[in-house]
């Protein structure tokens, strides 16, 4: 359609246009086009393939040009890049500091000494030494 209506300014050879017309617009079988043009089937298919590639290349170029027009100019991107400055603190250091702050907050919130007293071992170091049969020093093993 679009090629024969003049909407695609791509250039095809007469043989390629005839194959596109027969196979594409007229919905003819390969054998019919082969007989009408007097060409072997492999050559008809090769002409069809080349024509499709040409038309696809043209459509792709039009699409790429449209996308390129929608992108910002290179100078505007360079100006934006010139305004960017690196952070004084790296991402890893910032994450480590935030993790340490959260750890401290969690420790203060959930590890209160009064909550842990229920798990404390009753008795003094002397009581433990007598029970173990040896002398233990506080904090020693």
């Amino acid at each position: 359609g679009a090629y024969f209506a003049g909407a695609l300014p791509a250039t095809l050879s007469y043989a390629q246009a005839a194959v596109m017309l027969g196979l594409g617009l007229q919905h003819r079988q390969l054998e019919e086009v082969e007989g009408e043009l007097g060409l072997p089937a492999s050559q008809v298919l090769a002409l069809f393939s080349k024509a499709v590639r040409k038309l696809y290349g043209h459509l792709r170029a039009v699409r790429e040009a449209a996308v390129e027009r929608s992108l910002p100019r290179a100078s505007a991107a360079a100006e934006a890049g010139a305004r960017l400055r690196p952070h004084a603190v790296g991402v890893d250091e910032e994450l480590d500091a935030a993790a340490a702050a959260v750890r401290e907050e969690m420790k203060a919130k959930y590890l209160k000494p009064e909550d842990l007293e229920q798990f404390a071992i009753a008795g003094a170091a002397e009581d433990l030494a007598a029970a173990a049969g040896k002398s233990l020093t506080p904090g020693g093993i």
Side-chain angles (χ1 to χ4, degrees):
Y3 171 75
F4 295 106
L8 291 176
T11 55
L12 296 179
S13 71
Y14 291 118
Q16 289 172 337
V19 170
M20 288 294 290
L21 179 69
L23 292 177
L25 286 180
Q26 296 176 349
H27 302 288
R28 293 189 179 189
Q29 297 296 318
L30 179 63
E31 294 80 19
E32 293 177 62
V33 176
E34 175 185 2
E36 288 177 359
L37 295 178
L39 298 171
S42 60
Q43 192 170 359
V44 171
L45 289 175
L47 288 169
F48 180 73
S49 175
K50 286 181 182 179
V52 168
R53 278 192 230 142
K54 276 186 182 180
L55 294 175
Y56 173 75
H58 177 73
L59 291 173
R60 182 176 177 165
V62 168
R63 180 71 180 149
E64 286 176 356
V67 169
E68 191 172 320
R69 283 191 303 270
S70 70
L71 294 176
R73 294 184 332 271
S75 61
E79 291 172 11
R83 288 182 280 153
L84 297 176
R85 302 277 184 254
H87 290 284
V89 179
V91 174
D92 290 334
E93 292 87 13
E94 188 175 346
L95 285 174
D96 290 341
V102 168
R103 262 190 235 106
E104 290 301 319
E105 180 183 323
M106 300 272 293
K107 196 183 289 185
K109 184 176 180 180
Y110 295 110
L111 292 178
K112 297 177 185 170
E114 57 271 9
D115 292 340
L116 297 176
E117 286 178 5
Q118 63 179 335
F119 301 109
I121 299 174
E126 296 82 24
D127 297 333
L128 288 174
K134 1 179 168 171
S135 73
L136 292 176
T137 59
I141 297 179

